[in-house]
Amino acid sequence: QVQLKESGGGSVQAGDSLTLSCGASRPIFSNNGMGWWRRAAGKEREFVAAMSWNGGRTYYADSVKGRFNISRSRNTLTLKMYDLQIEDTAVYFCAASRSAVPSTTSTSAYNYWGQGTQVTVSS
């Protein structure tokens, strides 16, 4: 069993930046693909960004490409968010993939999830 915990959410204005972090209860980042997903109020959870097990490949949703950056250190998965827009408002979740290459389309491909951290962007 692995516990994931996100931090760094908050309320910002459009155009601002924010960095989310995700810590794990045991070292898994070097073995599993990792991802960030988000869920806006009244919507389904959607893919945001992901990284393969060795960090060799990264994946981004079109809506955040060029504005968000996923990275990791030994024990922390990070999502740096720049030029935030109102439509980025959501609860953001860190997730560990069942495999080395993370899915960009299926939440069921992830077997561990954090509890989420709220990001609110206002005009």
Side-chain angles (χ1 to χ4, degrees):
Q1 193 73 8
V2 176
Q3 281 78 46
L4 301 175
K5 184 172 177 62
E6 305 91 341
S7 61
S11 297
V12 296
Q13 292 190 317
D16 286 350
S17 302
L18 206 58
T19 297
L20 305 183
S21 298
C22 174
S25 58
R26 61 178 177 85
I28 61 169
F29 295 147
S30 59
N31 298 319
N32 297 70
M34 299 295 298
W36 288 95
W37 291 68
R38 66 187 182 187
R39 184 179 65 230
K43 296 187 177 181
E44 296 291 321
R45 197 170 298 197
E46 67 171 358
F47 170 75
V48 176
M51 174 176 281
S52 62
W53 70 279
N54 61 355
R57 293 202 66 177
T58 56
Y59 311 83
Y60 295 94
D62 288 343
S63 60
V64 307
K65 200 171 293 183
R67 300 189 298 120
F68 289 16
N69 179 266
I70 187 172
S71 63
R72 68 165 199 212
S73 62
R74 175 182 167 84
N75 296 318
T76 303
L77 183 72
T78 300
L79 184 69
K80 294 185 178 181
M81 305 183 294
Y82 303 97
D83 190 25
L84 283 160
Q85 304 300 309
I86 293 174
E87 52 266 32
D88 294 319
T89 296
V91 177
Y92 284 71
F93 299 90
C94 167
S97 173
R98 298 177 189 274
S99 66
V101 178
S103 171
T104 62
T105 58
S106 174
T107 57
S108 62
Y110 295 78
N111 53 346
Y112 297 112
W113 293 83
Q115 83 285 357
T117 185
Q118 176 72 46
V119 172
T120 302
V121 185
S122 59
S123 59

